[in-house]
Amino acid sequence: MERRIIRRLLVIAPLCALSACATAGSARTSEVAELKAEVRAMRETQARLEKRLERLELHASVTQSRASGAQARAPAASPAEAAPAKGFSTPDDLTVVKLKPRNEPAPPLPTRVAVVEPSPDDMEMFISSAPEGDSGDSTAEEPKEQVDTTVLDAEFEQAVAALRTGNVDGGVERLLNFAEQNPRHPRADNALYFSGLGLVGLKDHASAAKIFVRLIESYPAGDAVLDGMLRLAECRLRLNQKDDARALYTRILTQFPGTAAATQAEQRLASLSH
């Protein structure tokens, strides 16, 4: 009986030793893992601290370089400006501000000019060089110019009215005389245009064409030039000059696109092509 007990104890003893070793090994493994974790945490903290130290050193170097550059650019203060006033001490934490001198007003300049009367010889020269009949008053001619303009406008309206009332020959003659005698009048180009229309009404297309050519050449910037070109093309067609008429319509399309005259010219060209 005792032998059996001893044998059992001998068998159980190694198993207990193995379990004790396993327990100790697991405890050491956990301790090693904890130590490794603490080392990693300490390394991470050290790395963060090193990066922060680098940033602080970089910031300090930049601040120092800016301060040295500002000191190099600042003008040197004179001894009188750098020294504080008697009886007063300047604290270190206060900034000394240099005040600009007050702008003094400029000295007045003499503006008076002495008036010198012209000599009698100079007066005689001026009087002799003046045109005859010039009294020095330019307003005296204004009423006369205004009356002339009113009269010319009335003559133009009467000549156009003659065309409308049936006196075509008289109206054409009066309009041509108006354009001949007043080439710079604002309605001189209109006078030529209406006289050409009168000749078209009289079936004198050759004479009308000459008048329209004169209108186009004399007043290329007038308000009647486009209508005059259209009428001239019609006269060319009446005179069996289709090539000249096509050239005129093409000129209107090229030089004055987008206008009502260009639309009419395009329609006339289309009709001529058929």
Side-chain angles (χ1 to χ4, degrees):
M1 187 67 180
E2 292 179 357
R3 289 179 180 179
R4 290 179 181 178
I5 293 172
I6 292 171
R7 288 178 181 177
R8 289 178 181 177
L9 290 176
L10 292 173
V11 174
I12 293 172
L15 294 176
C16 292
L18 290 174
S19 62
C21 291
T23 303
S26 62
R28 289 178 182 178
T29 302
S30 62
E31 289 178 0
V32 171
E34 291 178 0
L35 289 175
K36 289 183 178 179
E38 291 180 0
V39 170
R40 283 198 299 269
M42 292 176 65
R43 288 178 179 176
E44 292 176 358
T45 304
Q46 182 179 2
R48 288 197 298 269
L49 292 175
E50 288 178 354
K51 290 183 180 179
R52 184 177 179 185
L53 180 60
E54 290 178 359
R55 289 196 297 269
L56 291 175
E57 289 178 350
L58 178 61
H59 180 71
S61 61
V62 171
T63 305
Q64 185 177 2
S65 61
R66 287 181 180 176
S68 60
Q71 291 178 359
R73 289 192 299 268
S78 61
E81 295 173 354
K86 272 187 183 180
F88 295 93
S89 61
T90 304
D92 296 336
D93 57 347
L94 294 180
T95 304
V96 178
V97 180
K98 179 182 177 183
L99 298 177
K100 293 183 179 181
R102 188 171 52 187
N103 294 328
E104 298 293 338
L109 298 176
T111 56
R112 294 183 180 179
V113 179
V115 178
V116 180
E117 295 291 340
S119 63
D121 296 337
D122 294 337
M123 291 295 296
E124 185 177 357
M125 180 183 64
F126 291 141
I127 294 173
S128 61
S129 62
E132 295 182 359
D134 187 5
S135 61
D137 188 5
S138 60
T139 58
E141 298 295 333
E142 293 180 359
K144 183 179 179 181
E145 293 178 358
Q146 187 175 1
V147 172
D148 291 344
T149 304
T150 304
V151 171
L152 292 176
D153 291 341
E155 290 181 2
F156 175 81
E157 295 294 341
Q158 291 173 4
V160 175
L163 291 178
R164 293 173 179 172
T165 55
N167 186 11
V168 180
D169 291 327
V172 169
E173 183 179 0
R174 294 177 67 174
L175 286 170
L176 289 176
N177 290 334
F178 180 90
E180 186 71 26
Q181 296 175 5
N182 308 283
R184 295 186 178 182
H185 194 275
R187 295 186 176 182
D189 57 338
N190 300 106
L192 290 176
Y193 175 73
F194 285 120
S195 62
L197 287 182
L199 291 172
V200 170
L202 294 174
K203 307 298 182 182
D204 189 357
H205 297 97
S207 299
K210 293 180 181 179
I211 296 300
F212 289 131
V213 169
R214 179 182 169 187
L215 165 65
I216 296 168
E217 293 178 351
S218 301
Y219 303 97
D223 57 354
V225 66
L226 288 177
D227 292 333
M229 293 175 70
L230 289 174
R231 296 296 182 180
L232 177 59
E234 293 177 4
C235 292
R236 298 298 189 199
L237 291 175
R238 296 287 184 179
L239 296 172
N240 294 322
Q241 299 173 358
K242 292 185 179 181
D243 293 338
D244 295 337
R246 287 193 183 95
L248 278 171
Y249 290 138
T250 305
R251 179 182 173 186
I252 294 173
L253 284 172
T254 304
Q255 295 183 357
F256 308 97
T259 59
T263 303
Q264 295 184 24
E266 186 177 5
Q267 294 174 356
R268 302 289 171 81
L269 279 174
S271 63
L272 287 175
S273 62
H274 294 297

